[in-house]
Amino acid sequence: MTDRTLRRIAPTGAVTLDDVAREAGVSLATASRALNGSTRKVADSYRERVEAAAARLGYTANLSAQATARGTSAIIALLVADIADPYFGLIASGVARGADEAGLVVTVAITERDAEREVRLVRALRGQRPRGLILAASRTSSGPNPDLTRELDLLGAMGGQVVALGPGAGAVRSLILDNRSGAEALGRALVDRGYREAVVLAAEEGTATSDSRVDGFTAGFTGAGGTQPRVYRGGFTRDAGYEAMTRALEDGVGTGTVVVGISDVVAIGALTAIRAAGRTAGEDIALAGFDDIPTSRDVTPALTTVRVPLEEVGYQAFRAATDADWEPHPDDLRLEVLLRESTPPRA
């Protein structure tokens, strides 16, 4: 940076786009198009000069001003239920990959599976005028929340594209994971391995993902010759899995029973409870989960599960939030049963 440039920007203390344009020797319009993601193409030589000048001057774009000018900002908003859950972390990773490719920024908000909190967060995020908003938090099976629907409609009217993991309405784009079919296939596969008694550790009734998995597993397991599973309800966390498994053990779990956690995290909590009770996972009590988070391969015994391509889910959700001509690709979201050491074959 030259002394002349330093003197020019010193009175305000903030570098402006006009400063960057003068430093790069281009027009203000060219500098704006180069740095603000304009659809009008800028020659590479000019763009490189502008970016180099912005770096030398320490220029930071005014996102609020950009949002006002465009109608939306360079932000993608992602709502998840629990950022500590690897399920949502992997989805966020896929969204972040798409945002990095497009030069956008991801804002993550945590709903804690609280419907009122979700509405408040969407209302607050509307103020950022996000380019898109992805609802990855757990849906309920009680129908749409009218307050949330109203907030989403307002965001859509401002130009933001809303994407839901699960059924959407109106202008909301949807990515549908076939949890029921994946769980049904797991039920059939476990009967094929010789299991006839099952315990399911589920979330509270009315949670759409959990209900779909419970219903699918029950249909597949009983349809293939297994007995009606016993269902214990809690939540999606490791502690919920531990507590539900403890209750099941107190009621009695016979050797050769298979325990199915509604997610891998729940199943891993159950694994700890099984060991705490002096039982052995695998040969004594079989265990399965759902999602195929990386930890499911590292525990002992390695966890039988249903693979959900979570990073691809996040990436496709990003594309749905940003691509005008987006179309769903269900084959990329196919679920797959993975049989591992936690459910050894039985005679």
Side-chain angles (χ1 to χ4, degrees):
M1 190 188 313
T2 66
D3 291 341
R4 182 167 54 85
T5 301
L6 282 170
R7 285 195 299 273
R8 184 170 62 242
I9 66 174
T12 64
V15 179
T16 68
L17 188 60
D18 190 52
D19 297 325
V20 174
R22 282 198 294 268
E23 179 74 7
V26 300
S27 69
L28 182 61
T30 297
S32 177
R33 286 195 292 271
L35 295 176
N36 294 339
S38 171
T39 56
R40 295 183 61 184
K41 184 171 177 57
V42 176
D44 288 343
S45 59
Y46 286 128
R47 178 178 52 77
E48 289 169 3
R49 281 165 54 186
V50 171
E51 289 176 350
R56 286 196 301 273
L57 297 176
Y59 171 76
T60 301
N62 186 328
L63 295 181
S64 296
Q66 288 182 12
T68 300
R70 290 190 200 149
T72 61
S73 67
I75 291 173
I76 297 296
L78 171 64
L79 267 67
V80 300
D82 179 4
I83 197 61
D85 187 332
Y87 175 94
F88 295 109
L90 289 167
I91 289 173
S93 177
V95 174
R97 174 162 61 94
D100 184 60
E101 291 175 359
L104 302 178
V105 177
V106 181
T107 294
V108 180
I110 303 167
T111 69
E112 298 178 351
R113 297 188 173 88
D114 182 324
E116 292 183 3
R117 178 180 172 87
E118 186 173 38
V119 172
R120 291 197 303 271
L121 287 170
V122 172
R123 185 178 299 129
L125 288 166
R126 274 201 298 112
Q128 296 184 12
R129 294 178 175 265
R131 186 84 51 88
L133 183 143
I134 300 168
L135 297 171
S138 302
R139 307 262 68 82
T140 66
S141 52
S142 59
N145 179 339
D147 292 334
L148 179 62
T149 300
R150 181 169 57 253
E151 291 297 331
L152 296 177
D153 287 345
L154 289 170
L155 190 148
M158 295 166 62
Q161 177 62 60
V162 179
V163 178
L165 301 191
V172 176
R173 290 177 170 175
S174 299
L175 265 71
I176 306 296
L177 291 174
D178 198 350
N179 285 294
R180 181 185 173 93
S181 292
E184 198 170 336
L186 176 64
R188 292 193 301 268
L190 291 174
V191 171
D192 287 345
R193 282 215 156 187
Y195 295 96
R196 297 295 182 269
E197 305 288 334
V199 170
V200 177
L201 311 180
E204 293 180 359
E205 196 166 6
T207 305
T209 298
S210 174
D211 288 350
S212 294
R213 293 178 179 182
V214 171
D215 292 346
F217 177 79
T218 300
F221 194 73
T222 58
T227 61
Q228 185 75 17
R230 290 156 46 195
V231 179
Y232 291 80
R233 295 192 177 274
F236 278 99
T237 66
R238 175 265 179 206
D239 290 347
Y242 183 95
E243 192 275 333
M245 188 70 239
T246 300
R247 284 189 282 129
L249 288 164
E250 290 171 350
D251 291 341
V253 178
T255 297
T257 299
V258 61
V259 174
V260 178
I262 210 65
S263 71
D264 289 343
V265 171
V266 168
I268 289 168
L271 174 62
T272 304
I274 290 170
R275 288 175 174 161
R279 307 286 293 272
T280 304
E283 292 293 338
D284 182 2
I285 299 175
L287 186 63
F290 209 108
D291 293 331
D292 191 33
I293 64 173
T295 309
S296 68
R297 293 159 244 165
D298 297 330
V299 296
T300 304
L303 189 64
T304 285
T305 188
V306 177
R307 179 180 179 272
V308 182
L310 295 169
E311 287 195 45
E312 182 63 25
V313 169
Y315 186 77
Q316 282 207 31
F318 172 81
R319 298 258 63 97
T322 56
D323 293 359
D325 56 353
W326 174 83
E327 292 182 0
H329 297 282
D331 286 346
D332 293 338
L333 305 182
R334 194 181 304 278
L335 277 59
E336 177 187 4
V337 175
L338 302 175
L339 296 170
R340 298 187 178 124
E341 291 85 351
S342 67
T343 57
R346 292 185 58 80

